[in-house]
Amino acid sequence: MTTNGSTNGAANGDAKHYVTRRGRLAGKNAFITGGAGGIGLETTILFLQEGASVILADINTKALDTAMTKIQDIVGEQTASKAKTVQCDVTNESSVEAAIAAADEWGGVDIVFNNAGIMHGDDADAIDTSEKIWDLTQAINVKGVWYGSKHAVLSMRKHKKTKGSVINTASFVALMGAATPQLAYTASKGAVLAMTRELAMVHARENIRFNSLCPGPLNTPLLQDWLGDDQAKRHRREVHFPSGRFGEAIEQAQAVLFLASDESSFVNATDFVVDGGLSKAYVTAE
Ligand code: NAD
């Protein structure tokens, strides 16, 4: 339970959150891709609670409707009126451009969270990954981040913003080798890290910060649907979690809030890892 009475997706065990709402994003306009999914929706709710106006962009219109109902339930009608849903396919540049332009009537975007991504069930190793799955994964996870970053910069310039923050979702798998391969996904997330680092250098003098978020394995549909009820597949991974549990989407959202806010004004070009210590593990406690 938070101090204002909202659970905001509070999770099991250590993942409960006691958050004081402080208007940390007051007056800011945010654009979030994959806004109807696990991390995107929790981030939207948190951003709204912190005073931002938010555009949730997603390819799935039904999920966007469901997301809006949840937002209204959690933050109330008045705060929810600062959220807009837009259907957007991040693989299509004009779709991304139009979705970001939905913030024009608010004065353009201050924060862009390029978070939409897929991990396809047919993604495998070098031998078994098909070209179709490879191309689809790169189109959403890499090209989508490029388009979102490009139109973030163009919108910020158009609206003469003096600062901006762009957060691109990568993954802990971009930092570690896994013997349980999803080659296209892993390669795509490595590309997000490299691209984001370079964008951070190119745009630092115009005060647009670019950081990558590297989540660990989470309780969201993306991973949980993929693992399904295959206990062996789950165990093969869970045995390596230092904290003994999956992360929660809200725990990623809290990190995104920091990167989006002015509190992180000197944080640029980082691979911001939120993984419960997984990427630092040698052996874990019994
Ligand atoms: P999710 O599946 O819950 O949400 C992803 C959202 O992206 C969905 O709402 C989906 O409709 C949307 N989307 C898919 N293709 C799209 C497209 N072409 N255009 C626009 N929207 C599209 O997943 P999540 O767990 O919230 O993951 C969000 C991000 O975090 C992804 O980039 C994912 O790779 C990354 N990530 C997740 C985990 C995890 O364990 N869940 C771990 C590391 C990184």
Side-chain angles (χ1 to χ4, degrees):
M1 188 76 95
T2 60
T3 51
N4 71 350
S6 154
T7 54
N8 193 18
N12 54 9
D14 292 345
K16 289 202 180 75
H17 296 287
Y18 299 85
V19 179
T20 307
R21 307 293 172 209
R22 287 189 286 151
R24 290 162 69 184
L25 300 181
K28 294 195 190 282
N29 304 324
F31 175 80
I32 299 179
T33 68
I39 298 174
L41 179 54
E42 289 297 341
T43 305
T44 298
I45 292 166
L46 191 57
F47 277 18
L48 287 166
Q49 288 173 322
E50 293 289 349
S53 300
V54 183
I55 293 167
L56 301 75
D58 205 289
I59 198 166
N60 186 336
T61 44
K62 212 170 145 206
L64 280 171
D65 291 343
T66 309
M68 196 47 118
T69 305
K70 183 174 173 186
I71 289 167
Q72 284 162 349
D73 283 351
I74 292 177
V75 303
E77 293 281 333
Q78 199 182 343
T79 304
S81 68
K82 293 172 78 179
K84 265 200 275 197
T85 59
V86 183
Q87 200 213 1
C88 170
D89 177 357
V90 297
T91 68
N92 179 315
E93 183 171 7
S94 51
S95 178
V96 175
E97 183 177 11
I100 292 187
D104 281 352
E105 61 178 1
W106 295 340
V109 290
D110 305 283
I111 299 159
V112 169
F113 182 28
N114 292 306
N115 165 71
I118 61 155
M119 185 171 75
H120 201 283
D122 295 336
D123 194 355
D125 61 14
I127 315 302
D128 291 331
T129 303
S130 68
E131 187 178 355
K132 187 174 150 222
I133 296 305
W134 179 274
D135 288 346
L136 177 68
T137 304
Q138 310 313 319
I140 297 172
N141 295 7
V142 184
K143 200 158 73 168
V145 171
W146 166 39
Y147 289 152
S149 299
K150 173 177 175 179
H151 288 283
V153 170
L154 291 174
S155 171
M156 287 169 190
R157 284 180 180 167
K158 179 173 153 190
H159 293 278
K160 304 201 178 339
K161 300 285 182 184
T162 55
K163 61 189 165 196
S165 175
V166 180
I167 303 108
N168 295 332
T169 306
S171 168
F172 77 102
V173 299
L175 304 168
M176 304 175 76
T180 50
Q182 306 124 4
L183 203 67
Y185 183 80
T186 300
S188 75
K189 295 305 188 177
V192 170
L193 289 191
M195 175 166 50
T196 304
R197 198 177 301 133
E198 185 153 306
L199 285 164
M201 295 305 110
V202 171
H203 298 288
R205 296 287 169 101
E206 55 185 319
N207 211 12
I208 304 175
R209 295 182 293 115
F210 283 81
N211 290 288
S212 294
L213 178 77
C214 297
L218 305 180
N219 259 332
T220 70
L222 180 131
L223 181 59
Q224 297 305 323
D225 292 352
W226 186 83
L227 291 172
D229 54 11
D230 186 334
Q231 291 310 317
K233 201 170 167 186
R234 283 183 174 276
H235 179 73
R236 183 77 172 89
R237 290 158 179 80
E238 285 174 12
V239 71
H240 298 289
F241 297 178
S243 48
R245 66 171 177 87
F246 287 92
E248 300 295 331
I250 182 65
E251 294 174 301
Q252 302 301 320
Q254 298 286 3
V256 181
L257 169 62
F258 170 68
L259 293 172
S261 76
D262 294 341
E263 292 159 22
S264 60
S265 51
F266 206 49
V267 179
N268 197 18
T270 58
D271 305 340
F272 204 91
V273 180
V274 185
D275 70 347
L278 178 57
S279 56
K280 300 293 184 203
Y282 174 34
V283 289
T284 50
E286 287 193 61

